[in-house]
Amino acid sequence: MSEHEASLDVAHDDGEEEEQVDLDGEVEPEEMVDEEVEDVVDVEEDDKLEGQEGLDLDMPEEEGIGDQDEPYAEHENGVQKHGKADGGESIEAMHTEEHASQQEAGVEQKDEKDADKNAELLLRPPHGSEVFVGGITRDTTEDDLRELCVSCGDVYEARVLKDKETGQNKGYAFVTFTTRESAEKAIETLGDSELKGKKLRFSQSQSKHRLFIGNVPKVWDKPELEKILIDQGPGVESVELLKDPNNPARNRGFAFVDYYNHACAENARKVLSRASFRLASNVPTVSWADPRSGLDTPAAMAQV
């Protein structure tokens, strides 16, 4: 073996010993740094991949950050700023529901009161059941009239009209029976009777039960007006709405309404006269009508 070949073999053996033997038993610093760098790079790449799965890469950075921070920022002392209760229902929705329930209860109470009032009005005797009694003495009482009239039927009410200043009666009274038939019988049978030495006069009382309603929309027909009046109060018996002779599709702008009794008519007069009440957009005019007048009588036309 030549000297050159021998030196190559020695160099090769020394290289193998350097690669296989570490006198200190530790890894070289350069290899350790390389491994740490590779690990860090791998971790950063994994984090980027995981972040890309949960985020929209096209979303602006500020928007993404705001979305992440908002759920935590809205919690304060265990309650969200949006005001949601434990069950997930918003407090505002709960208040709205409670307010709606209160309104509904108020409407129901009003409907019950209106129904009771309407029933009470209809319990009063019908129109035509009241008679006028004239010629009574100054000392005649309501009980005296009841005893006299009970032979004709059940007496609902007896009223002796008195002077406000002296307190004495004015010499006449009104007796209301429960039916029209009893009133008619009293007029027929008691017309020549005497009470406390004086002859009495009996006649039909002209109680107010008929209303005049003006400024009715001229495009309305009778069913439209009738429905409105029925909704406003009980006791509507008839509605007279005359058509325009020159245009049958239109009315003349006024009507006469008959009610079951004076109490129902008086209630309707008050309701229809309210400042807020309208017939469509028209403010109606409401007043008492002559109970004996029709639409084409001079009295009715004078009222129009």
Side-chain angles (χ1 to χ4, degrees), residues 198-270:
K198 291 195 66 173
K199 187 176 180 178
L200 303 179
R201 302 188 309 273
F202 282 78
S203 63
Q204 185 73 45
S205 171
Q206 301 299 327
S207 61
K208 297 177 180 179
H209 69 281
R210 185 176 175 88
L211 293 180
F212 166 81
I213 301 177
N215 204 21
V216 177
K218 293 187 176 182
V219 296
W220 280 15
D221 57 12
K222 178 180 175 180
E224 286 181 283
L225 177 60
E226 194 171 35
K227 181 180 183 303
I228 295 294
L229 296 175
I230 291 174
D231 290 342
Q232 298 305 315
V236 176
E237 288 194 332
S238 67
V239 177
E240 297 179 68
L241 181 64
L242 200 65
K243 292 184 178 181
D244 188 340
N246 298 323
N247 187 354
R250 296 167 65 88
N251 66 70
R252 295 171 65 178
F254 63 91
F256 291 92
V257 185
D258 286 328
Y259 285 86
Y260 176 72
N261 54 30
H262 172 76
C264 292
E266 173 65 14
N267 175 73
R269 188 181 69 86
K270 292 180 179 179

Side-chain angles (χ1 to χ4, degrees), residues 65-76 81:
I65 294 174
D67 291 341
Q68 294 294 326
D69 295 338
E70 183 177 358
Y72 302 97
E74 290 183 348
H75 285 272
E76 183 175 356
K81 290 184 180 179

Side-chain angles (χ1 to χ4, degrees), residues 46 58 114-115 132 206 228 256 261 274 281:
D46 291 341
D58 296 333
D114 291 343
F132 169 82
Q206 301 299 327
I228 295 294
F256 291 92
N261 54 30
R274 291 180 304 187
S281 60

